[in-house]
Amino acid sequence: MNTTNNSIEVKFPGAAGNQFGRNTYLTVIPFKSVERFLTVFPEVQRKINMSRVKQIAQYVIQGTLDRNYSFLSAVTASCRGAIRYDDETKQVSIDINSTLSINDGQHRIAGIKMALDTMKKDISKETDDSIKGNLMKRLERLENMHIPIVIFDKMDEQHEQQLFHDLNLLAAKPTKSVSLKFDNTDPYTLMAKEVSQDNHYLIKYGVETEKTQLRDNNPNLMLLSTLRNMISFIIAGNDKDKGSEDTLCLGNYDAWKNEIEEILDLLFESLPNDCNDRTKYIIGLAVTLQGIGKYIHSVRNGDDLNWKDYLAGLKDINWKHNNRMWNGYGGSYDDRLERFVFGGTGGGINGVCNALVENNRSKTITTSN
């Protein structure tokens, strides 16, 4: 803090510029200070989504762990009060009575606050001195992290509302496949990316990493998001798992990756050589591949047969669209399209899994005996 002309100022390192005739300042604020300087005014912000705040808080907490990648983009605010830039010291000076009104980033700021509060509560509850010491180090590291702030000067309420509109409604959101392609925090996504580049079957059939859906002229077998969910079904039995010590984490990642590679090899050895032909087989449908993943989880966790026998038995399954066996398992054959069509994602996944349980099990048992 500094006193200038009878006013008290808070100084931050930064830079100054001009955008469309308005003074603009760039600075960084420590996580531990965001609540003190940044404020949300309802008239220029939407209603906060606490579910999103919790997700960001968990993301922030995970970022204190080793080998994790966590990033928060700059928050945009407008200064309601006095602000200036000292070119000599390269500092942004804000009057202590000024307020920084958040125009974009309220969920990030709320997530940071929740992450700090959560870690403090965890520390107060912990009785193991070793664990408590580790948590305290992580909290100190978190408190001293900084978030970049872009500050606009001299904006009235209408301009703040327009700033919110432009930042939130004009930005182009990347497709889900592109988002997953560059995500290195979710262990299932990370594994999907790695096996898509390592497994010779996936290299042969192809994994689409850009588009959100596959048309008949796309030679790739599946989307990256489908592979991610398929792996999650195999390991955890569902596609919502975020990874944990009981499912997939850094400690068991390499072992699971080797297991997934073997499972994929056995699976594709039992599927038709042209299984990526979506006009011929239902295999290239996202629900089918995820349903196969759920089926693999069920047989791997059974105790009546070696799970590899079940995968070998898939070679006797008729995967063609016109196979009436599929009727009743989450969809029906469409005579107009000349294809089997699933009624919904969840029902289709369960339908494929149930179809394989009921039709592959008896064949596998007969063959094994």
Side-chain angles (χ1 to χ4, degrees):
M1 288 188 185
N2 189 44
T3 303
T4 304
N5 298 326
N6 296 322
S7 66
I8 300 176
E9 295 179 329
V10 181
K11 295 180 177 289
F12 299 100
N18 189 281
Q19 189 177 124
F20 299 112
R22 298 188 179 280
N23 292 328
T24 309
Y25 306 92
L26 307 176
T27 188
V28 290
I29 293 180
F31 281 12
K32 61 185 175 184
S33 302
V34 294
E35 187 169 15
R36 179 178 177 183
F37 294 103
L38 291 157
T39 303
V40 174
F41 290 92
E43 64 270 19
V44 294
Q45 269 290 353
R46 76 184 95 180
K47 185 177 180 180
I48 197 163
N49 183 333
M50 290 309 299
S51 176
R52 187 177 174 195
V53 171
K54 291 177 182 178
Q55 290 177 345
I56 293 176
Q58 187 58 39
Y59 173 80
V60 170
I61 292 173
Q62 288 295 316
T64 64
L65 298 171
D66 293 335
R67 291 182 64 184
N68 270 26
Y69 299 88
S70 294
F71 305 93
L72 292 177
S73 59
V75 169
T76 302
S78 51
C79 184
R80 297 188 176 189
I83 184 172
R84 67 183 183 87
Y85 181 69
D86 189 327
D87 192 57
E88 184 177 341
T89 62
K90 308 298 181 186
Q91 290 181 316
V92 177
S93 299
I94 305 174
D95 188 281
I96 193 67
N97 295 314
S98 298
T99 303
L100 296 181
S101 170
I102 300 175
N103 300 115
D104 179 62
Q106 68 163 331
H107 290 93
R108 273 163 276 166
I109 296 302
I112 290 172
K113 295 177 186 176
M114 182 178 288
L116 291 170
D117 291 341
T118 299
M119 292 199 71
K120 289 175 183 177
K121 289 178 182 178
D122 289 343
I123 290 172
S124 65
K125 295 177 183 177
E126 186 55 57
T127 56
D128 186 298
D129 290 339
S130 176
I131 296 177
K132 181 176 246 183
N134 181 261
L135 287 173
M136 291 177 69
K137 289 180 180 178
R138 288 173 59 191
L139 175 61
E140 181 180 7
R141 180 185 174 194
L142 189 62
E143 288 179 329
N144 292 318
M145 291 181 184
H146 291 69
I147 187 163
I149 309 289
V150 179
I151 306 171
F152 287 87
D153 187 21
K154 294 181 173 60
M155 298 185 73
D156 57 28
E157 185 176 305
Q158 286 185 322
H159 282 105
E160 284 194 55
Q161 291 173 343
Q162 188 65 43
L163 179 58
F164 170 83
H165 170 275
D166 294 352
L167 291 173
N168 288 275
L169 300 183
L170 298 183
K173 185 177 181 180
T175 65
K176 182 177 181 180
S177 293
V178 171
S179 296
L180 291 177
K181 180 180 179 180
F182 295 106
D183 179 19
N184 292 294
T185 57
D186 176 34
Y188 293 104
T189 300
L190 184 61
M191 184 174 293
K193 290 191 292 186
E194 289 184 358
V195 298
S196 70
Q197 297 171 359
D198 297 341
N199 185 271
H200 67 282
Y201 282 109
L202 292 180
I203 293 173
K204 171 185 175 181
Y205 294 119
V207 176
E208 175 62 59
T209 61
E210 296 286 342
K211 301 185 183 301
T212 57
Q213 61 180 337
L214 296 178
R215 301 187 183 280
D216 289 343
N217 60 355
N218 191 319
N220 293 306
L221 173 64
M222 69 178 88
L223 299 172
L224 180 63
S225 57
T226 300
L227 178 58
R228 182 262 175 223
N229 290 346
M230 183 181 182
I231 293 173
S232 181
F233 270 115
I234 293 173
I235 295 176
N238 65 78
D239 61 341
K240 307 299 183 186
D241 190 63
K242 300 299 182 182
S244 68
E245 292 183 0
D246 296 327
T247 52
L248 179 64
C249 64
L250 292 176
N252 60 25
Y253 184 89
D254 291 337
W256 261 118
K257 184 183 176 184
N258 291 334
E259 188 84 3
I260 292 297
E261 291 272 15
E262 181 184 13
I263 289 172
L264 291 174
D265 285 344
L266 292 171
L267 171 63
F268 286 110
E269 286 173 5
S270 300
L271 296 180
N273 289 330
D274 57 344
C275 63
N276 58 331
D277 185 347
R278 280 181 294 281
T279 65
K280 186 177 181 180
Y281 305 107
I282 70 168
I283 298 171
L285 302 177
V287 295
T288 304
L289 291 164
Q290 293 176 80
I292 291 174
K294 188 170 185 177
Y295 170 72
I296 293 173
H297 178 269
S298 70
V299 297
R300 286 189 76 259
N301 289 275
D303 55 7
D304 56 342
L305 264 182
N306 188 312
W307 61 268
K308 296 180 182 180
D309 292 337
Y310 285 105
L311 291 191
L314 293 178
K315 67 180 182 297
D316 297 321
I317 294 292
N318 181 352
W319 298 96
K320 292 183 178 180
H321 284 281
N322 60 6
N323 179 15
R324 302 297 174 172
M325 180 198 84
W326 300 110
N327 286 342
Y329 289 109
S332 60
Y333 185 79
D334 189 313
D335 292 311
R336 183 178 61 84
L337 298 175
E338 296 184 339
R339 294 190 182 189
F340 186 86
V341 179
F342 288 99
T345 301
I349 292 171
N350 291 328
V352 170
C353 179
N354 292 334
L356 296 179
V357 167
E358 294 174 14
N359 292 277
N360 186 43
R361 185 180 298 273
S362 60
K363 290 184 178 181
T364 304
I365 294 174
T366 301
T367 303
S368 299
N369 292 336

